[in-house]
Amino acid sequence: MTTWDVGVVGAGPAGSAIAALLARRGYRVVILDRFHFPRRKACAEYCSPGVEDVLRRLGVWPGIASKVHRLAGMNVCIDGRPVLPIRYGESQERLAFTMPRTELDEVLVRHAAKLGATLIEGVQVKQVDRQDGVWRIGGERSSGGRQVWTSRILIGADGLHSTVTRLLGIYVRETWPRRIGLIAHYRGRSGPSDVGEMHVGPGCYCGLAPLPDGMLNVGLVASIKPGRRRPAPEVFVDALRRLPVARARLQGLTMSGRLRGTGPMSRRVAPVAGPDYVLVGDAAGFLDPFTGEGIFRALRGAELAADDVDRAFATRNGVLDSDAHILARRGEFAAKERLTWLIQMALASPDAFRRLCRNLSRCPDSAGLMGNVLGDLAPASGLLRPAHVVATLRG
């Protein structure tokens, strides 16, 4: 039986990126995923300028640059009126982009395979345990039969409801805010095609992101009550009633495919790394995506993890310095997480959120920095400095 250097469970952006980075450095990598690619995924499909930078480092951007839909930014709207335009870049304008996840994920996973990673599709992982210094990853193949793969280091990249975290017994906690996310594609577009829109209403918000080929991604997030289960279409229709302008944008358009959902929209996981494993992407934790950093966080987290796995083999005989990795993730993402929590607190009160947007619009420096932070072009720590906080609160 072949023992791989690295076994990656999950071939989404995080799993495919770390597999590509490690395969490029000469490591033997196997990727297991329960689906066959291309596959659909519930996602807002809005990518910040920072995502482009990571895709360039991965080497896939030249092949997809002509296939994406470019956007100048995102207009935040309350009661249907734009109250805060989010734009990116300082001396030079930077653009966001959209691309269907069916295509983006396919590009990333095939890139990993091209660099030497072995991709095995249609595997439902059922077993993860460590014996004699080697991970045993057991799974059932969609073609029939059970198989076990072994690796020295394990990467858990299998998403929000990670099987790896469950099998390892890693602490997972669902936290406030309690929300569900719903994604629909509509054929045809209504409204501007050069920017996205984020419509905020009581207990919900809805993102409209123009896609290539005239499609529109509609990403709706709505609060849910503990213990109450409602059909997704009912939640979708009810929330749109509270967002009349967003609903009007969909008049005359046709839903393409079925409504897809995801949740919970807030999940904390600890620890995200140990001496012989790393979690990346949504498997390492997830927070309500109003600020839209999901794909960037997955790709950038994969870069950090790949560097630490490389160091583990180069200097520590394959033993990961998990404390150093956790500190590196904290240094990369902690400030953005604090900012995201502050925004979530404001979203809980329409008046507070309206005041926040109004004050930002009156403070060009803070608004510009906010755009660069949300665009993953600048660290959030600068926006949390007292001067910016005071200016934002006072207006």
Side-chain angles (χ1 to χ4, degrees):
M1 178 185 294
T2 299
T3 295
W4 304 85
D5 295 318
V6 181
V8 181
V9 179
S16 295
I18 192 170
L21 290 165
L22 292 173
R24 188 162 65 190
R25 299 178 194 187
Y27 295 103
R28 295 170 301 163
V29 182
V30 62
I31 321 171
L32 309 174
D33 197 279
R34 61 183 296 194
F35 295 104
H36 291 268
F37 289 80
R39 58 101 164 96
R40 294 289 299 273
K41 176 74 174 178
C43 177
E45 297 174 323
Y46 184 93
C47 298
S48 70
V51 172
E52 177 184 337
D53 293 341
V54 183
L55 294 178
R56 286 183 181 277
R57 294 195 292 270
L58 284 172
V60 301
W61 181 255
I64 68 172
S66 63
K67 302 175 183 178
V68 306
H69 183 81
R70 289 291 204 172
L71 295 173
M74 179 73 70
N75 288 340
V76 179
C77 305
I78 300 177
D79 298 328
R81 295 189 297 273
V83 294
L84 181 64
I86 301 296
R87 300 295 183 267
Y88 313 114
E90 293 178 359
S91 58
Q92 181 177 1
E93 181 186 30
R94 295 292 304 275
L95 300 176
F97 71 91
T98 59
M99 184 177 190
R101 280 290 299 271
T102 51
E103 299 177 21
L104 179 61
D105 290 11
E106 171 85 354
V107 166
L108 288 169
V109 76
R110 301 306 173 196
H111 181 65
K114 182 179 179 180
L115 290 174
T118 296
L119 170 65
I120 304 177
E121 301 169 83
V123 175
Q124 178 67 59
V125 171
K126 299 286 188 178
Q127 165 200 355
V128 173
D129 58 54
R130 190 161 174 79
Q131 299 178 15
D132 301 323
V134 174
W135 286 102
R136 292 171 52 84
I137 309 168
E140 296 178 358
R141 305 192 69 157
S142 58
S143 58
R146 185 178 178 89
Q147 189 171 342
V148 174
W149 295 265
T150 60
S151 68
R152 295 180 63 189
I153 286 181
L154 171 69
I155 308 295
D158 50 340
L160 182 61
H161 301 285
S162 169
T163 297
V164 170
T165 59
R166 177 174 55 81
L167 293 175
L168 293 181
I170 294 170
Y171 177 70
V172 177
R173 180 166 61 96
E174 296 178 11
T175 60
W176 178 90
R178 294 184 59 84
R179 294 177 181 149
I180 184 174
L182 299 170
I183 298 291
H185 283 173
Y186 279 76
R187 190 172 301 282
R189 283 202 288 256
S190 175
S193 62
D194 60 339
V195 294
E197 295 180 348
M198 187 68 78
H199 293 265
V200 179
C204 62
Y205 64 83
C206 178
L208 304 178
L211 293 169
D213 299 327
M215 298 292 286
L216 180 71
N217 180 297
V218 181
L220 192 145
V221 175
S223 299
I224 55 175
K225 295 181 179 180
R228 185 184 180 190
R229 300 180 67 89
R230 299 170 63 197
E234 181 182 314
V235 175
F236 189 78
V237 171
D238 179 63
L240 279 178
R241 288 195 187 103
R242 289 173 270 159
L243 300 165
V245 174
R247 182 177 60 181
R249 291 273 197 266
L250 306 183
Q251 295 297 315
L253 306 186
T254 303
M255 186 182 292
S256 176
R258 65 181 179 87
L259 185 68
R260 295 177 180 272
T262 186
M265 305 304 284
S266 183
R267 190 169 184 266
R268 289 190 175 275
V269 178
V272 298
D276 41 32
Y277 78 87
V278 185
L279 303 179
V280 292
D282 289 347
F286 183 81
L287 185 59
D288 192 331
F290 184 87
T291 48
E293 72 275 1
I295 294 177
F296 174 81
R297 187 181 174 101
L299 295 174
R300 182 64 187 131
E303 287 187 311
L304 296 175
D307 287 343
D308 287 334
V309 169
D310 188 27
R311 278 190 287 270
F313 282 113
T315 64
R316 295 169 58 90
N317 195 30
V319 177
L320 185 80
D321 187 343
S322 54
D323 291 338
H325 178 71
I326 291 169
L327 285 174
R329 277 188 64 91
R330 190 174 300 159
E332 186 76 28
F333 301 128
K336 182 74 173 289
E337 286 184 1
R338 288 195 294 272
L339 174 65
T340 301
W341 278 111
L342 290 173
I343 293 174
Q344 292 300 325
M345 293 172 65
L347 280 170
S349 167
D351 288 340
F353 188 74
R354 184 180 287 104
R355 185 166 55 252
L356 172 66
C357 291
R358 183 194 64 209
N359 291 348
L360 277 172
S361 66
R362 294 174 178 175
C363 302
D365 289 344
S366 294
L369 183 54
M370 174 70 84
N372 287 332
V373 169
L374 298 185
D376 300 305
L377 299 173
S381 55
L383 199 60
L384 297 174
R385 290 174 182 164
H388 283 291
V389 173
V390 170
T392 300
L393 292 178
R394 289 182 178 177

